[in-house]
Amino acid sequence: MITRNVSIPVGNAESVSGILAAPEDVEPAKTTGVIFAHGAANDMNNPLIQFVSRGLALAGYVTLRFNFLYKEKGKKSPDSQAKLIQTWQSVYRFFSTHPEFGPKSIVACGKSMGGRVASQMVAEGLLPVSKLIFLGYPLHAPGKKDQLRDAHLYTILIPMLFLAGTRDTLCDLNILKTVLDRLKAPWDLEVIDGGDHSFRVPKSHPVSQEDTYAQILLAVTGWLKRDN
């Protein structure tokens, strides 16, 4: 597997770190690329993001994971929505025009906040990706199931894959299923037994953490291959 540490310009004076990964014999122009955006409380080195991005690269895809600006600067509070969008767009532009690794098409994969922002951008025509993958969609805040972040999802027309844990306090599965039934776009749902919002499982769980990540990777890989 080939890996490259990259610096991605954001605006005129700032940049974020990223990591490109691809199989040794890759032909990027004939390959699907996947961009990974992290959640609010983590960064591009989140264990789940590392596992899935590396696994997809070994499976024949070109992947790019990146930091948002606030994490690049060592801050805890996420950037404004406008800055998150600007960073996402900059990363997409960098990847799509990369002279060595630029893929034929790009899929957006986001953990929590990273996926939410990507989906809002797709709904507004600001991110021309072919598919969306949610590694835990933040459908509502903990304890606020009457305040859903779902309105924009009904305007999206590209295929979407939702991965959701049975212990996710930010995504009630029953509510999610009612949302999915109302979508216009093709969708799939992979339920991860025992997983919380980050797909961590209890130590007493019969399936190990690594095998849980492997289940997620298998679901993502199978879904991506379906139409290829």
Side-chain angles (χ1 to χ4, degrees), residues 138-149 169-170 172 175:
L139 185 59
H140 53 77
K144 296 183 178 180
K145 297 180 182 181
D146 58 333
Q147 300 176 30
L148 302 183
R149 304 183 184 103
T169 58
L170 279 71
D172 182 285
I175 299 176

Side-chain angles (χ1 to χ4, degrees), residues 23 26 31-32 55-62:
V26 68
T31 305
T32 298
L56 287 183
L58 291 171
Y61 298 88
V62 182

Side-chain angles (χ1 to χ4, degrees), residues 10-11 30 39-40 47 49 77 79 93 121 127 133 136 144 148 161 165 169 177 189 192 196 212:
V10 178
K30 299 179 181 179
I49 291 177
S77 298
D79 300 313
R93 184 164 51 249
M121 292 172 67
L127 190 64
I133 300 171
K144 296 183 178 180
L148 302 183
L161 171 64
T169 58
K177 289 173 182 177
L189 171 64
I192 307 300
D196 64 9
T212 298

Side-chain angles (χ1 to χ4, degrees), residues 33-228:
V34 184
I35 299 176
F36 288 83
H38 62 78
N42 46 77
D43 60 19
M44 69 176 179
N45 292 315
N46 169 266
L48 174 62
I49 291 177
Q50 287 192 71
F51 188 98
V52 179
S53 61
R54 176 181 173 82
L56 287 183
L58 291 171
Y61 298 88
V62 182
T63 67
L64 172 60
R65 49 193 169 100
F66 71 95
N67 282 335
F68 284 109
L69 279 166
Y70 73 99
K71 279 297 178 181
E72 194 71 16
K73 298 174 182 178
K75 297 181 179 180
K76 292 184 178 180
S77 298
D79 300 313
S80 66
Q81 179 79 355
K83 187 64 72 174
L84 294 171
I85 288 173
Q86 181 188 26
T87 304
W88 242 120
Q89 289 177 321
S90 297
V91 172
Y92 177 90
R93 184 164 51 249
F94 174 88
F95 196 26
S96 63
T97 62
H98 195 281
E100 185 179 1
F101 292 104
K104 69 173 182 179
S105 63
I106 295 177
V107 174
C109 181
K111 184 181 185 304
S112 194
M113 179 193 74
R116 173 186 59 78
V117 174
S119 64
Q120 290 170 325
M121 292 172 67
V122 169
E124 296 173 19
L126 301 176
L127 190 64
V129 294
S130 61
K131 295 180 179 181
L132 281 166
I133 300 171
F134 301 100
L135 299 176
Y137 184 77
L139 185 59
H140 53 77
K144 296 183 178 180
K145 297 180 182 181
D146 58 333
Q147 300 176 30
L148 302 183
R149 304 183 184 103
D150 64 333
H152 68 283
L153 296 174
Y154 305 116
T155 66
I156 294 174
L157 300 177
I158 62 173
M160 292 181 278
L161 171 64
F162 292 79
L163 295 106
T166 57
R167 297 190 305 119
D168 191 344
T169 58
L170 279 71
C171 187
D172 182 285
L173 272 172
N174 290 326
I175 299 176
L176 175 62
K177 289 173 182 177
T178 64
V179 170
L180 297 180
D181 286 340
R182 296 166 56 195
L183 297 182
K184 295 178 182 177
W187 59 268
D188 285 272
L189 171 64
E190 179 77 9
V191 176
I192 307 300
D193 184 53
D196 64 9
H197 190 58
S198 294
F199 301 101
R200 292 183 294 259
V201 295
K203 291 183 179 179
S204 59
H205 194 64
V207 180
S208 70
Q209 189 64 66
E210 184 172 359
D211 285 346
T212 298
Y213 285 173
Q215 178 188 348
I216 293 169
L217 174 60
L218 184 63
V220 171
T221 305
W223 186 76
L224 287 174
K225 287 181 177 179
R226 187 179 304 170
D227 299 323
N228 289 347

Side-chain angles (χ1 to χ4, degrees), residues 2-24:
I2 303 168
T3 59
R4 297 278 190 278
N5 292 319
V6 296
S7 179
I8 304 169
V10 178
N12 295 324
E14 297 181 298
S15 63
V16 295
S17 299
I19 298 178
L20 276 163
E24 291 284 349

